[in-house]
Amino acid sequence: ASFWAKVPQAPKDPILGITEKFLADEDPCKMNLGVGAYRTDQGKPVVLDCVREAEKRIAGNFNMEYLPIGGLKEFNDLSVKLAYGDECAAIAEARVASIQTLSGTGSCRLMADFMHKFAPDATVYIPSPTWANHHNIWRDANVAQTSFRYYKPSTRGLDFEGMIEDIQTAPSGSFFLLHACAHNPTGVDPTSEQWSEISAVMKEKGHFPFFDMAYQGFASGDCVHDARAIRIFLDDGHQLGCSQSYAKNMGLYGQRVGCLTFEASAVESQMKAIARPMYSNPPVYGARIVTTVLGDEELKELWYKEVKGMADRIIHMRTLLRENLEGIGSSLPWNHVTDQIGMFCFSGLTPEQVDELANDHHIYMTRNGRISMAGVTSGTVGRLAEAMHKVTS
Ligand code: PLP
């Protein structure tokens, strides 16, 4: 028998399960709306022009030596400015420190491992619902977790009162995980006024806000606007943590480029002490691409334009999906399709309706009814709307 014969099969990742079913489907019109990756209106993956140009500039000009444990310094400096703003006092006064991470997942995991080590009795407050991997990350880091109210199924919008109440009743000094923008999976974000109120209550309670920002620029198309929650919290004098990912907004998915920022202190040395035995140092290529793009005014402008192009295409698909649903006579409310923002639409479809979409219409999405709007095209939106209408009427 194999040395590992006693190891049981791990449960399948739900997203991979969808991809497998999609691949096995032989219908030529099949649609995969499960994976959270941007596609063009022709349904193809993209490499941004700013990234291609950065690649040209990098090619042949760098060796492949290791980066330091904390990654490329220029990359970290440019990243924190992108998140916190060029004018941020905390940056000017060197009150923040950053380390390059293995994309957003790596940032979250590092934060979680740090919590386990230095706040072993802490509980992480996670929005309900959230990106499924958040639960796995903090579970594997052995940090206790509980959820706070976020989404209200009846309105398919924010449960603002519930959220505030849960923030208020959490023990003072609790750790809160917040999605900076384009909440996954719901596409529901607080307004600026609501963020201000959330910030005030969290400040009063002495909670620690940790922002997971995996979609800066992808929500509104404007990287500054999408960082407003973080800037509101900074203005209110919070000390916060921030995870950034360049997977979606720069299309660097597989390059694993991210950044984790926290207040400058011994924390930085401890983050490195956790990273060193885990992966030693982060990958260099993606960090050079980001540094080349953000460090050059012209390329940065081009990137801003390209992010806006992606966000606008998604927003346009939302409009078309809603128009199509209303146009074919669905009497259900579909305003949430256009009210929500970012890559995903939390459609309100039940697991049974999602199964019916897969089995009868060759359309695949997660069973919580989350549609990856980035996978919808002007060529497929009509068929999606018809199928959604059929399974909901
Ligand atoms: N956080 C959220 C909310 C996400 O939706 C994702 C990606 O789907 C991530 C973090 C991390 O992605 P990555 O590790 O590819 O940067």
Side-chain angles (χ1 to χ4, degrees):
S2 135
F3 193 85
W4 303 112
K6 287 193 181 135
V7 176
Q9 198 68 34
K12 240 187 217 164
D13 187 291
I15 292 278
L16 298 183
I18 294 165
T19 307
E20 273 174 28
K21 276 198 193 152
F22 170 78
L23 290 174
D25 188 331
E26 287 173 1
D27 190 278
C29 293
K30 63 184 177 177
M31 257 184 253
N32 187 356
L33 304 178
V35 189
Y38 181 79
R39 297 287 179 261
T40 64
D41 203 41
Q42 286 70 46
K44 298 273 185 292
V46 226
V47 178
L48 300 183
D49 289 341
C50 63
V51 169
R52 284 299 189 217
E53 177 56 30
E55 283 191 294
K56 278 188 208 152
R57 295 188 192 179
I58 292 165
N61 287 326
F62 291 98
N63 60 37
M64 309 253 168
E65 293 284 289
Y66 293 128
L67 287 176
I69 304 172
L72 194 64
K73 184 177 181 315
E74 297 91 324
F75 165 84
N76 291 332
D77 292 347
L78 289 162
S79 293
V80 66
K81 277 197 175 160
L82 180 69
Y84 289 20
D86 288 336
E87 312 301 322
C88 173
I91 299 175
E93 293 157 18
R95 284 190 274 113
V96 291
S98 309
I99 92 168
Q100 187 191 325
T101 56
L102 277 66
S103 214
T105 307
S107 291
C108 288
R109 183 58 194 266
L110 212 50
M111 189 69 231
D113 281 342
F114 176 83
M115 274 181 82
H116 176 63
K117 213 162 165 182
F118 294 98
D121 300 325
T123 293
V124 57
Y125 281 72
I126 293 182
S128 173
T130 193
W131 179 47
N133 215 19
H134 279 148
H135 294 293
N136 307 335
I137 289 169
W138 269 272
R139 176 203 64 208
D140 277 10
N142 294 303
V143 175
Q145 47 184 283
T146 186
S147 56
F148 64 87
R149 279 173 284 174
Y150 188 84
Y151 177 77
K152 199 184 226 170
S154 61
T155 60
R156 293 182 186 145
L158 187 70
D159 182 357
F160 184 61
E161 292 72 30
M163 181 177 180
I164 291 287
E165 202 178 307
D166 288 350
I167 293 170
Q168 258 159 351
T169 51
S172 297
S174 293
F175 182 105
F176 273 76
L177 168 64
L178 301 164
H179 297 227
C181 64
H183 182 274
N184 177 7
T186 67
V188 173
D189 287 346
T191 62
S192 299
E193 294 70 34
Q194 288 170 330
W195 275 124
S196 292
E197 210 171 321
I198 294 164
S199 169
V201 179
M202 295 217 11
K203 192 85 202 300
E204 213 176 276
K205 292 284 303 189
H207 295 328
F208 181 81
F210 179 68
F211 283 97
D212 182 2
M213 184 153 62
Y215 300 93
Q216 187 178 5
F218 235 83
S220 67
D222 175 346
C223 288
V224 175
H225 184 77
D226 283 357
R228 72 192 183 288
I230 289 175
R231 309 212 180 153
I232 289 168
F233 274 64
L234 286 168
D235 286 347
D236 288 349
H238 280 279
Q239 289 189 336
L240 47 87
C242 175
S243 158
Q244 286 169 271
S245 163
Y246 290 97
K248 327 279 167 154
N249 60 6
M250 221 177 268
L252 295 175
Y253 306 92
Q255 295 293 351
R256 314 310 293 145
V257 209
C259 185
L260 176 65
T261 298
F262 34 81
E263 72 233 39
S265 62
V267 174
E268 184 178 2
S269 64
Q270 293 295 355
M271 289 290 183
K272 289 180 188 167
I274 295 170
R276 175 70 175 145
M278 190 152 47
Y279 56 86
S280 207
N281 46 70
V284 66
Y285 187 70
R288 287 220 197 284
I289 292 176
V290 173
T291 305
T292 307
V293 173
L294 296 183
D296 180 286
E297 277 313 311
E298 210 176 300
L299 281 189
K300 191 174 171 187
E301 272 310 303
L302 175 60
W303 175 56
Y304 275 167
K305 242 189 248 162
E306 292 191 280
V307 185
K308 180 159 170 29
M310 292 192 284
D312 284 351
R313 195 187 86 69
I314 294 173
I315 291 167
H316 183 52
M317 287 307 119
R318 290 181 181 280
T319 308
L320 288 186
L321 179 59
R322 180 175 170 184
E323 281 176 6
N324 272 275
L325 280 160
E326 289 168 354
I328 48 181
S330 175
S331 53
L332 297 169
W334 294 107
N335 58 298
H336 57 285
V337 174
T338 48
D339 291 347
Q340 296 169 356
I341 202 157
M343 196 171 250
F344 302 109
C345 167
F346 214 45
S347 64
L349 294 172
T350 63
E352 293 71 29
Q353 290 166 342
V354 170
D355 291 344
E356 212 178 316
L357 280 178
N359 298 334
D360 300 350
H361 302 278
H362 313 279
I363 296 171
Y364 297 85
M365 62 185 68
T366 48
R367 288 192 88 225
N368 59 5
R370 188 193 77 167
I371 300 172
S372 175
M373 290 307 299
V376 181
T377 69
S378 33
T380 59
V381 67
R383 210 166 65 72
L384 172 62
E386 269 169 39
M388 284 172 70
H389 178 46
K390 276 198 188 130
V391 305
T392 53
S393 53

